[in-house]
Amino acid sequence: MAGDSVDSYPAVEDHGLIGDLQTAALISTDGTVDWFCAPRFDSPSVFGALLDRRNGGHFQLSPDGVDYTSKQLYLPGTPILITRFHSADGVGELLDFMPVTGAEATDRHRLIRLVRMVRGSMQFRFHCHPRFNYGRDAYELEVHPEGDVFRSPTMTLTLAAFKNSLREFDTRDIKRDTDGVSASFTLHAGDIGGVVLETACPHAPRALSTDEACDLLAETRDYWRRWVGGSRYKGRWREVVERSAMTLKLMTYAPTGALVAAPTAGLPEQIGGQRNWDYRYTWIRDASFSVHALLRLGFTEEAEKYLLWLDARIREARDGNLPLQIMYRIDGSPDLPEEVLGHLEGYRGSAPVRIGNGAAGQLQLDIYGEALVSLELADRNGLIAPYEGWRKTAGLMDWLCAHWDQPEDGIWETRSGRQDFTYGRVLSWVALDRAIRIARRRGRPGDIARWSAERDAIYEQVMTRGFNQERRAFVQHYGSDILDASLLAMPGLNFISPTDPMWESTLRAMDTGLVSDSLVYRYDPKASPDGLAGTEGTFNMCTFWYVQALALAGRIDDARLTFEKMLTYSNPLGLYSEEIAPTGEQIGNFPQAFSHLSLISTAAHLDDLLDRQG
C-alpha cells in the first residue's frame, strides 16, 4: 500500500461496494479491500484501512512494477465489481464478488477475487494483511498445502489461490510475516487467476479451480439479475434507480430484513473534523423510508420482511411500556454503546473514530411518523398488520398522544440539548393521521377521538409556533429563526399545501438560505449550535427532498435540472455517500441508504409529474 501519510487515503467515492446480504466490503480503484466487517455489517472490522492506512488492515490485489491507470464498473445488472487496469504492457481485469449467503445467519462468508488478462501480460501482486477486531487483536498464521489460515481469538480467515494459479506462483516469492501474506504472479492474455478469502471456514484451505470460481461468478450474476429484473420501474432514470435499488439490497441484512444506514463507520462529515459516526445499524427512520422506495419498485417481499422487523420492535417497546428506540442493531437488539477507538488515526486524520452510537438513547419524535407512513403505505398495498401488531401500534399512538408536546433531540441527532423541533411535531401529526386512516379503512379498534384531537392540536401548534413571521418561514424549532431542510418534507406529507402562501415563502427562504447551486445544507451549524465543532457538507437526502418540493410547487423545470445536477455528484458506479463537500467530493459514511432511498422516491415522483405534463 503506497505511502502511510493522510494523503495516501483514497477518496471516499473511489470505492465500489460488494456484499452477500449479511455483510459487505469496499474496494478501491487500486484493487484494495479497504473495509470489511465479519460476520455481520455491525461486527468488528477485519480490513479497516479506511480508518487507518497503517494499522487498519487491507487486502490489495493490483499490478506490480508497472505504471497503470484503473477504472471501475459493475457487471450490468449486478453488484459484481470490475476494476480494469490499463498499462503499456496490457489490460487486466479484477472481478470482486461475494456469493449470496441466504436468509440464515452464518459466520461463513466468501470474498472471491478473480483476475483475468484481457491482452498483453502483466505482473500482479497481492498482499493480505488482516487486522482483526478493529486492529486490536493479534493473530497466528498457519500454513497449509493449499493456503493459509489467519487465526485470531475471535475469528479465522482462510486465504487460498485458484488451483491453476498455483503454477504461476514461485514459492520463493510468497512472503509470510507479521504483515500478512503477499506474493507476485504473472498473467498472459487469456489467463485467469485469483484468490478466495473465507471467514469461519470449517475445513483446511482448499484452492478453487477456475471452473468452480467461474461457476460461483455465474450463480452470483444470475441471482442479482433475477432480483433486479423484478423491478417494475420503467421510467426515465432506470439505470440509476436500479443501481440504487441494488445498493439498498446490499445494505439489507437478509436474516432479519433490517437495513443499515451505511456499511461503514467513522467516515467524517468534514475532513479533520469530529463528526464521525457509526452508521452500521438500523434507524427506524431510514428503514421506514425504504418501504416507500421498495413498494414503488415492486419489491414487496423486502418491504414485508422489514415490516415484520419493525412490528417486533413496536411490540417490544409496548411490552416494556417504553417509547421506540431510534435505532437498533440489525438483529433488533437495542444496546449500542459508543466507544472511541483511540488507536486508529481516522480517515485522513479525522479523529475520534467511534463505534457504537450514543444517539440510540435520544428522544426523536419524528420516528413515529416515519414508521406509521410505512405501515399505512403497506396497508394500502395489501400488507395488512396482524391483530397483535395493530394492537401494539395503537398503544404506541396512545403513548404519542401523551408525549408529543415536549422538547426532543430532533432528526439530526444534535448533542446540544433538546428543543421543540418543528419537524418532530409535524411527524407526530403524520403518525396520528396515518393511524387514523388505517383504523378507519380497516375498521380497526383505536381511540380515534383522542388521536384526532391530539392531531389537530399539533397542527394548530405548528402553524402558530413553528412559523416565524419575521423570517416568513417555518423554522427548525419554536422561538428560533433557523431554517431546517427537514421541513422540505412538509408538503409531500400532506401537512400543508404546496401552494399555501406560508409554504411558498418558506421555500423561497430555503432557496436563498440553504441551497448552494442546487445542493442543500441541513441547517447552519453556526446559527444553530449542535454541540459539535466544525462544519459539514450539503446533505444528499435533503437535495432530493428539495427536488420533490420544487416539483410539488409547480417548478418542474427547476426540479428536473436540480435532479440531473445531483446525478453528476455520484461516483462512476452510481453510489452516493451522505454528503457533498464544498470541493464536490463525497464525504460521510458510504454508501448511504438515505441518499439512495430518496433518489428512488424522487425519480419516481418526477416521472409521475412529467408523464402528466405529456
Side-chain angles (χ1 to χ4, degrees), residues 35-39 43-49 55-58 107 128-142 148-159 177-181 197-201 341 343-344 355:
W35 185 256
F36 175 62
C37 299
S43 298
S45 63
V46 176
F47 302 122
N55 303 312
H58 66 274
D107 290 346
C128 183
H129 177 36
R131 297 282 287 163
F132 297 95
N133 190 17
Y134 306 109
R136 295 181 293 194
D137 289 354
Y139 63 81
E140 295 179 354
L141 182 63
E142 300 174 1
D148 298 313
V149 176
F150 302 89
R151 195 177 300 279
S152 80
T154 56
M155 176 177 286
T156 59
L157 192 67
T158 300
L159 179 69
D177 55 29
T178 55
D179 285 334
V181 175
L197 191 76
E198 188 167 0
T199 64
C201 182
L341 301 180
H343 63 288
L344 298 180
I355 56 171

Side-chain angles (χ1 to χ4, degrees), residues 98-116:
M98 297 179 70
V100 175
T101 54
E104 295 296 322
T106 179
D107 290 346
R108 189 178 182 187
H109 303 275
R110 289 175 292 176
L111 196 165
I112 298 177
R113 317 203 71 189
L114 185 153
V115 190
R116 58 190 180 195

Side-chain angles (χ1 to χ4, degrees), residues 233-239 560 603 606-608 610-611 614:
Y233 178 81
K234 309 300 180 187
R236 294 165 177 79
W237 297 282
R238 182 172 177 177
E239 185 175 347
R560 185 168 187 177
L606 267 185
D607 272 317
D608 291 344
L610 290 167
D611 288 346

Side-chain angles (χ1 to χ4, degrees), residues 266-442:
L267 293 181
E269 297 173 18
Q270 178 189 26
I271 302 302
Q274 60 177 249
R275 301 166 185 264
N276 318 316
W277 312 112
D278 189 347
Y279 276 13
R280 298 169 299 154
Y281 309 114
T282 301
W283 270 252
I284 295 291
R285 179 186 305 110
D286 305 41
S288 294
F289 284 148
S290 74
V291 174
H292 184 270
L294 291 167
L295 289 178
R296 286 298 295 259
L297 301 181
F299 294 121
T300 305
E301 181 180 341
E302 284 76 12
E304 187 171 18
K305 192 152 191 182
Y306 164 69
L307 290 169
L308 290 172
W309 183 92
L310 175 61
D311 179 73
R313 306 290 81 73
I314 292 174
R315 295 187 191 206
E316 290 165 359
R318 297 316 305 141
D319 288 344
N321 196 31
L322 298 169
L324 276 177
Q325 191 163 291
I326 69 166
M327 73 181 90
Y328 298 84
R329 291 191 178 275
I330 51 180
D331 61 3
S333 58
D335 297 325
L336 292 81
E338 189 168 295
E339 175 185 358
V340 171
L341 301 180
H343 63 288
L344 298 180
E345 72 175 8
Y347 178 78
R348 296 188 181 177
S350 303
V353 172
R354 298 181 180 91
I355 56 171
N357 201 308
Q362 288 190 350
L363 175 66
Q364 296 180 16
L365 293 172
D366 67 281
I367 65 170
Y368 301 96
E370 284 119 4
L372 265 293
V373 164
S374 70
L375 292 174
E376 196 272 334
L377 180 63
D379 185 83
R380 279 191 278 125
N381 281 268
L383 300 177
I384 303 169
Y387 164 72
E388 188 62 22
W390 170 254
R391 193 171 70 86
K392 298 295 186 182
T393 300
L396 200 64
M397 293 302 96
D398 292 337
W399 180 93
L400 186 60
C401 284
H403 293 89
W404 66 263
D405 193 13
Q406 63 176 305
E408 46 136 350
D409 295 295
I411 179 176
W412 306 130
E413 298 173 6
T414 59
R415 302 196 176 192
S416 58
R418 294 180 174 179
Q419 298 283 354
D420 293 311
F421 284 104
T422 306
Y423 182 77
R425 296 296 200 276
V426 170
L427 270 291
S428 296
W429 176 93
V430 168
L432 295 169
D433 179 72
R434 300 317 191 261
I436 292 167
R437 294 186 192 187
I438 297 172
R440 287 177 172 163
R441 181 187 301 129
R442 299 295 176 188

